[in-house]
Amino acid sequence: MQQVVAFLMLTASLGWLLAAFVLSVGLRKSLLVFLRQNNVTADNYAGRAIPTAAGLYVGAVVLAYAFIWSGLHYAEIRWMRTSPFTIGLHLDTIYLFALTAVLVAGLLDDLAGDKAVKGILGHWRTWRKEGRLTTGLVKAIVISAAASIVTWASERPLAECAAGCLLIALMSNALNLLDLRPGRALKLFLPAALLLVGAATLPLFVTAMAPVIAAAAVLFPEDVRGEAMLGDAGANTLGFALGVWLFQTAGFLPQLAVLAVLAALHIWSCKHSLTARIERSPLLRWIDRLGRDT
């Protein structure tokens, strides 16, 4: 019996991964057209106006996926008196709420953010000196609160929760730091996410990771060719999801190691240009420009 259930769960996971890809493909083109028609655009690094906040569609895929999954789960219980495909696989509502909050905060920064203010320290100084609350500072508060909710809900020891909160928040911002050139953020997100899939439990993969990874993979061609921007709505959301998955799959010591790297990156980037550093390294420059039209 257990082998039958395991087979059904594996079949369901593969089926839902395919469903996530189908949803991603179907929503991608429609959303990009919507962004263009409503002038939700910004100049990219080359000075060309392209749709921004394209990462919004990652959230759309996740919510559509959650809706269909919930419907299937209800239908199985209502008419079949059991739940053979979604058995033991329940959507993490806290994770979905936190991910949605981060996406909304990022979208707010995309649409109404002050681009003249750079970095969390810049937003902090603006508030301290001018008394003006920037969208960037609001986003930082929302990300920190969302990370706190996810980690405290895990009921782990206080030290692990505190470290996990910092890990998730810094990972969210790290992807945003990378999103200054086409494809750069996703070139880190996708390999890292696939590595974590190997350590993830089946419920985590099926209900949380599959739709986000699928949406990011389908969006990658437009992003790397410079035809659309992830924006804060995309980069911060993907970074947040990656941080949560790392918190849920890795041990405490690996988390501390990644946290140290992220902290060093943020401190270093306060005074140095990440793009300039990448350009000085032949290997990093080759990876960075791989697949880019310009």
Side-chain angles (χ1 to χ4, degrees), residues 62-79:
V62 170
L63 292 178
Y65 183 87
F67 177 79
I68 295 175
W69 181 273
S70 299
L72 176 62
H73 184 74
Y74 172 80
E76 289 173 351
I77 294 176
R78 175 68 175 81
W79 287 293

Side-chain angles (χ1 to χ4, degrees), residues 108-252:
L108 176 64
D109 203 23
D110 283 329
L111 299 179
D114 185 351
K115 304 305 179 184
V117 182
K118 301 294 184 180
I120 185 62
L121 292 180
H123 293 289
W124 172 258
R125 293 191 189 103
T126 299
W127 178 70
R128 289 283 294 172
K129 294 180 179 180
E130 303 176 18
R132 180 163 58 92
L133 187 64
T134 64
T135 55
L137 187 57
V138 170
K139 183 182 67 174
I141 294 172
V142 170
I143 291 173
S144 299
S148 298
I149 292 172
V150 170
T151 52
W152 300 140
S154 69
E155 299 182 349
R156 296 187 186 182
L158 179 61
E160 292 189 25
C161 289
C165 181
L166 286 173
L167 172 68
I168 295 169
L170 290 181
M171 185 69 79
S172 179
N173 196 57
L175 263 289
N176 201 31
L177 288 176
L178 291 174
D179 192 36
L180 296 177
R181 290 294 185 273
R184 184 181 291 174
L186 288 181
K187 285 175 183 176
L188 172 64
F189 172 81
L190 288 171
L194 291 177
L195 283 175
L196 292 178
V197 166
T201 62
L202 186 61
L204 175 64
F205 170 70
V206 174
T207 62
M209 300 178 75
V212 178
I213 295 173
V218 175
L219 188 59
F220 179 74
E222 276 82 7
D223 183 46
V224 77
R225 290 196 300 263
E227 297 174 2
M229 293 184 194
L230 288 178
D232 290 13
N236 282 125
T237 302
L238 292 175
F240 184 88
L242 190 63
V244 172
W245 302 341
L246 184 61
F247 175 72
Q248 293 179 330
T249 59
F252 187 44

Side-chain angles (χ1 to χ4, degrees), residues 273-293:
S273 168
L274 186 59
T275 295
R277 180 65 188 86
I278 291 174
E279 287 296 317
R280 289 196 298 268
S281 169
L283 177 60
L284 293 178
R285 183 172 63 248
W286 177 80
I287 295 173
D288 190 44
R289 295 183 180 183
L290 186 64
R292 192 186 303 168
D293 291 338

